[in-house]
Amino acid sequence: GAVVSQHPSRVICKSGTSVKIECRSLDFQATTMFWYRQFPKQSLMLMATSNEGSKATYEQGVEKDKFLINHASLTLSTLTVTSAHPEDSSFYICSAETGTGRSYEQYFGPGTRLTVT
Amino acid sequence: AQSVTQLDSHVSVSEGTPVLLRCNYSSSYSPSLFWYVQHPNKGLQLLLKYTSAATLVKGINGFEAEFKKSETSFHLTKPSAHMSDAAEYFCVFNAGGTSYGKLTFGQGTILTVHP
């Protein structure tokens, strides 16, 4: 099946610094990628939809200036958490969509655990 | 509102006994429904999906789910649990229409399998 990778898998940063997380589709092209966050013992919440070559679409309540998304190619989307604070500590998961019509499917990356100290 | 609800946060079964994980949805459109599994420290894996074809959907690892429009349900079942099935399961919903491509996750059900 299709594989999606994320890098890094874990990152610890100091409060006030920025962190970049990469999401790559390894064996397919994805015009659309999605970013989710998952708090401990909670479900995944969609943060934003990333479309190649255009601006990301953010869900209500997600600060676009804090969570910068760049989808520069059909295989790479990046999420940059700017001026990170402890409350941004979470598990960030990306997915890449492939297919057409009702046969689309999202493949998920393994996630990135961010800890802000 | 369009949503998906998993009725049990935890389910515990003995190895070899049936598994039932319950999911109900609410949608104005004809939805697509999925079940994903998340093992500790691993990525989400698709078990099965319903996209308006056959209402009984068979997935990997012996799991299956039945789409019941009259009950707005999409429960996940397996005849005989295995220790390796212990994980967290998410019922996932795409409302279609203007929400095409955007997935909404249920709250998750943690499945524990006892020897």
Side-chain angles (χ1 to χ4, degrees):
Chain A
V3 178
V4 175
S5 69
Q6 281 185 243
H7 178 79
S9 58
R10 291 177 177 270
V11 58
I12 301 173
C13 70
K14 292 186 177 181
S15 186
T17 62
S18 295
V19 174
K20 180 184 285 188
I21 303 170
E22 293 185 348
C23 176
R24 292 182 185 272
S25 56
L26 298 185
D27 49 3
F28 66 99
Q29 294 184 330
T31 54
T32 304
M33 291 184 173
F34 301 86
W35 287 96
Y36 300 82
R37 66 187 299 180
Q38 184 180 28
F39 290 106
K41 301 187 186 303
Q42 294 188 31
S43 190
L44 279 74
M45 297 293 294
L46 179 65
M47 298 175 65
T49 303
S50 169
N51 293 296
E52 187 267 337
S54 64
K55 291 183 178 180
T57 304
Y58 291 82
E59 295 300 300
Q60 190 173 8
V62 177
E63 300 175 59
K64 63 180 181 181
D65 295 330
K66 181 168 188 60
F67 297 100
L68 300 179
I69 292 173
N70 184 278
H71 194 155
S73 76
L74 289 172
T75 58
L76 173 64
S77 176
T78 60
L79 169 68
T80 301
V81 183
T82 62
S83 187
H85 288 93
E87 57 266 30
D88 298 324
S89 298
S90 189
F91 194 50
Y92 292 87
I93 302 173
C94 74
S95 71
E97 184 177 85
T98 183
T100 57
R102 295 188 69 88
S103 296
Y104 70 89
E105 189 167 325
Q106 289 188 29
Y107 294 90
F108 287 81
T112 296
R113 188 163 301 284
L114 170 64
T115 303
V116 184
T117 61
Chain B
Q2 301 184 99
S3 65
V4 60
T5 302
Q6 291 180 244
L7 301 174
D8 307 292
S9 58
H10 289 83
V11 170
S12 180
V13 301
S14 298
E15 190 175 20
T17 64
V19 175
L20 170 63
L21 305 183
R22 299 182 295 166
C23 173
N24 285 99
Y25 70 91
S26 173
S27 176
S28 302
Y29 299 94
S30 179
S32 296
L33 291 156
F34 311 78
W35 276 98
Y36 281 86
V37 61
Q38 186 179 37
H39 287 94
N41 302 314
K42 290 191 176 181
L44 287 156
Q45 181 182 22
L46 178 67
L47 285 177
L48 48 81
K49 63 180 178 180
Y50 166 77
T51 54
S52 78
T55 56
L56 181 61
V57 182
K58 294 187 183 297
I60 62 172
N61 301 336
F63 285 95
E64 63 181 40
E66 186 171 7
F67 175 76
K68 292 186 176 180
K69 187 174 181 178
S70 61
E71 300 177 8
T72 61
S73 69
F74 190 59
H75 302 334
L76 181 71
T77 60
K78 182 173 180 177
S80 176
H82 192 272
M83 295 296 292
S84 61
D85 294 329
E88 187 163 16
Y89 293 78
F90 292 96
C91 182
V92 181
F93 163 91
N94 174 249
T98 58
S99 299
Y100 180 79
K102 293 169 60 173
L103 299 182
T104 299
F105 281 71
Q107 300 88 332
T109 299
I110 296 174
L111 175 65
T112 303
V113 182
H114 298 287

